[in-house]
Amino acid sequence: MMKASANRQLKCTDLPVLSSREQGWENVLVEQFQPPAGEARFDQGDEHAIYLSLAPRPVHLLQVQGGKTYAGLYGKGDISIMPAQVPFFSRWDSDDRFLLIRITSRFIQNVAKETINRNPDRLELLPVFQNRDPQLEAIGMLLLTEVKQEDSSRLYIESLANVLAIHLLRQYAATKPQVTVYEGGLPQRQLSQVLDYMNDHLDHDIKLADLAALLNMSQFHFSHMFKQAIGTSPYQYLLQQRIERAKQLLKQTDQPIMEIAFQCGFNHHSHLSQQFRRFTGITPKAFRAN
């Protein structure tokens, strides 16, 4: 689990209104802040940080990082990128609302090592002031949605973290790497191996790293080729299979719904009910009664 030391905390009187800190996410920490006018200092340490404005009205910001100063009006969707080891100062003159995403430099280096032919220790992200990046904004909003969920999927979060790391490498590295994207999907034998593993471990907390390791493949390439092969992401496929297993158990056994939830990899009854209704339009109880 990623842990941020005290000197990396937002130095203002306001705590985040939402945080992934207690959800056990690895490599990435997502927090939403809604502070009044004020200022903050960040000591990034070994984490890269992304500021994504959520402000309904533009906010005037003064930002200083890497010996450069920038002042401007930040509106919803504007981003700044604060590389690891680069101190950052910010001052804003009115109520602000923003998402702060921290991702460990170690994780970025591991992704680079797996996906590009370059020494990851030489990778450097550039500081960015007020920029528009629809893809990065979309990733941020997906992460924010998961922070709001009572039960986020580890497999889904790992997938988003990998997509985020690849995007940062492609768009904001000092030297742009060439990321090879393989086409054609997983071969049938490899796909069958992965699907059998998922089916045999539906009641486990399956990680993206576990699935990729089965094929000795990077997580990014595995996710891409898996989706090419069957038309859906590993997370979506796993969720579908868990719902199908739940359907079988509901119809073929008299087990309590709570027990069925655990056997299908859900954390509790309400987690199963939420996803079951989303896929089928009815609750597990109603499905069993029909």
Side-chain angles (χ1 to χ4, degrees), residues 251-269:
K251 288 295 189 182
Q252 299 172 8
T253 75
D254 295 324
Q255 295 181 60
I257 295 178
M258 174 73 79
E259 182 61 31
I260 290 175
F262 290 145
Q263 289 188 38
C264 296
F266 296 99
N267 296 330
H268 44 69
H269 180 292

Side-chain angles (χ1 to χ4, degrees), residues 25 36 53 82 93 116 124 138 151 185-186 205 213 226 231 257 277:
W25 296 3
S53 176
M82 300 158 273
D93 61 3
I116 62 177
E124 176 188 357
D151 298 282
L186 293 173
D205 185 14
F226 183 96
I257 295 178
R277 181 190 289 272

Side-chain angles (χ1 to χ4, degrees), residues 1-263:
M1 178 178 175
M2 177 179 169
K3 297 183 182 297
S5 60
N7 69 341
R8 298 179 208 165
Q9 302 293 330
L10 180 67
K11 288 188 174 70
C12 67
T13 58
D14 296 84
L15 296 174
V17 295
L18 288 171
S19 177
S20 67
R21 190 177 296 277
E22 302 304 322
Q23 297 191 31
W25 296 3
E26 296 180 349
N27 304 310
V28 64
L29 174 66
V30 180
E31 295 182 314
Q32 181 183 348
F33 292 88
Q34 294 182 196
E39 62 183 37
R41 296 180 185 275
F42 301 88
D43 181 0
Q44 291 307 109
D46 292 327
E47 299 160 8
H48 305 291
I50 302 157
Y51 167 102
L52 171 60
S53 176
L54 303 175
R57 298 177 60 184
V59 177
H60 188 271
L61 264 70
L62 170 72
Q63 298 177 323
V64 182
Q65 63 170 323
K68 297 181 179 179
T69 300
Y70 177 85
L73 279 175
Y74 271 65
K76 188 174 183 180
D78 284 335
I79 66 165
S80 289
I81 295 178
M82 300 158 273
Q85 308 296 341
V86 179
F88 180 84
F89 171 82
S90 180
R91 179 184 295 131
W92 54 101
D93 61 3
S94 59
D95 292 353
D96 197 5
R97 183 179 302 174
F98 62 90
L99 197 65
L100 192 64
I101 304 169
R102 297 186 180 100
I103 185 167
T104 65
S105 58
R106 181 194 69 254
F107 178 66
I108 294 278
Q109 289 172 347
N110 287 341
V111 170
K113 185 177 181 181
E114 291 178 341
T115 55
I116 62 177
N117 185 22
R118 181 177 299 167
N119 180 359
D121 294 334
R122 295 187 177 183
L123 283 171
E124 176 188 357
L125 293 188
L126 298 173
V128 174
F129 297 102
Q130 193 172 17
N131 188 38
R132 284 281 176 167
D133 184 332
Q135 186 173 348
L136 185 53
E137 180 182 3
I139 295 169
M141 297 311 294
L142 289 172
L143 287 167
L144 177 58
T145 297
E146 289 305 302
V147 175
K148 295 177 180 178
Q149 299 298 317
E150 184 177 342
D151 298 282
S152 57
S153 164
R154 184 185 298 268
L155 182 59
Y156 184 50
I157 296 304
E158 289 176 336
S159 299
L160 286 177
N162 270 270
V163 171
L164 174 60
I166 290 292
H167 186 74
L168 291 174
L169 288 168
R170 279 175 163 168
Q171 301 299 323
Y172 301 104
T175 303
K176 299 294 186 293
Q178 293 297 318
V179 180
T180 302
V181 179
Y182 299 102
E183 301 297 335
L186 293 173
Q188 187 63 44
R189 180 183 59 81
Q190 291 185 328
L191 180 62
S192 296
Q193 182 182 354
V194 172
L195 298 185
D196 287 345
Y197 178 90
M198 295 171 84
N199 184 68
D200 293 341
H201 296 82
L202 287 181
D203 60 334
H204 287 61
D205 185 14
I206 298 176
K207 297 182 179 180
L208 184 61
D210 299 333
L211 300 177
L214 289 173
L215 308 182
N216 194 28
M217 189 178 292
S218 76
Q219 296 177 40
F220 172 76
H221 288 142
F222 167 77
S223 296
H224 179 76
M225 295 178 73
F226 183 96
K227 187 169 185 178
Q228 281 197 318
I230 66 172
T232 188
S233 70
Y235 161 71
Q236 291 169 326
Y237 176 83
L238 180 63
L239 189 55
Q240 290 168 1
Q241 295 309 301
R242 284 173 166 162
I243 295 299
E244 291 303 317
R245 176 72 60 83
K247 287 181 179 179
Q248 293 176 3
L249 294 175
L250 286 166
K251 288 295 189 182
Q252 299 172 8
T253 75
D254 295 324
Q255 295 181 60
I257 295 178
M258 174 73 79
E259 182 61 31
I260 290 175
F262 290 145
Q263 289 188 38

